[in-house]
Amino acid sequence: MSTSMKKMMSVAAAYITEKSKMTPKVGLILGSGLGVLADYMENAVTLKYEDIPYFPTSTVEGHAGELLVGELKGVPVILMKGRFHMYEGYAPEITAFPVRVMKQLGVERLLVTNAAGGVNLEYEPGDLMLISDHLNLTGKSPLVGTNEAEIGPRFPDMSEAYSKALRQMAHEVAASQGITLREGVYAGMLGPAYETPAEIRMLRTLGADAVGMSTVAEVIVASHAGMEVLGMSCISNMAAGILDQPLSHGEVMETTDRVRETFLNLVLAIVPKLQ
Ligand code: HPA
């Protein structure tokens, strides 16, 4: 018989506990160009993904591939610098496996960040957007297959996958820092090609405000496990067909560089309120 998911979670979590000797309370997943937050960790132990049992390795440019356990503003956190994407060829349940390991370690609240294209015409590159909800358009779910009831229910509720209370808190923190925070719907695509202009018009019709190639599998797994999620997108570019120019990963990285400080200050102020 194949190894159960619960067993894989336990083995990976035991390895992390043995190496870090810490019990993280808050989980953070940092998207493209946003990994700099890791530099603010104190007393951190850094683990390579490839050394953690059942973790795959990350391949994308702009994504490091390290798990850090330590303190951020005095809060014990576990932080993923770089994540796994389905477009790399990973099954959705592998993409989201680290979230399950976090839960196994005792994490109840998860902050997920990503770089995303702006679909809403009022947005501008450099805007930060709280994710209010998502459209899973990847065609895949990490929950397909046998359900292990110890992990979560067969048919989990997704009506508040992105916690209202945490969004409220994030808005208050942003306001106190004079940061404008958008709030909108994130469309999760499989990628890796950026969307066509026709696809972007479709997404807008469907109610999307931003589009990206990550996050949805992680959040489905977090919801399944009963975790509370706060999601934040950095609008790194306008989505395809909005401006008369091609999209590039270079533009995505340039914008995340430009927004880095604002993003950092916001997240550093939010983390203590997640514990
Ligand atoms: N589309 C999909 N994913 C993205 C984009 C985009 O425009 N920008 C950053 N990630």
Side-chain angles (χ1 to χ4, degrees), residues 115-117 194-195 211-213 236-237 239 247 252:
Y194 289 119
E195 301 70 35
V211 58
M213 304 174 195
S236 55
N237 57 283
L247 272 59
V252 171

Side-chain angles (χ1 to χ4, degrees), residues 29 31 83-86 95-96 99 110 112-116 131 134 136 138 142 162 186-189 212-222 229-233:
I29 303 181
R83 52 149 65 90
F84 306 110
H85 302 84
M86 286 188 258
T95 304
V99 176
L110 180 66
V112 288
T113 69
N114 56 52
I131 305 176
H134 76 217
N136 175 15
T138 64
Y162 299 83
Y186 176 90
M189 309 294 280
M213 304 174 195
S214 65
T215 305
V216 292
E218 295 151 4
V219 173
I220 291 169
V221 157
V229 175
L230 182 65
M232 205 192 311
S233 294

Side-chain angles (χ1 to χ4, degrees), residues 44-65:
V45 171
T46 303
L47 306 172
K48 283 194 207 137
Y49 290 156
E50 64 208 41
D51 294 336
I52 305 170
Y54 302 112
F55 265 53
T57 47
S58 181
T59 59
V60 188
E61 198 188 325
H63 295 257

Side-chain angles (χ1 to χ4, degrees), residues 77-89:
V77 305
I78 180 165
L79 178 153
M80 286 184 80
K81 192 174 170 188
R83 52 149 65 90
F84 306 110
H85 302 84
M86 286 188 258
Y87 64 71
E88 293 172 90

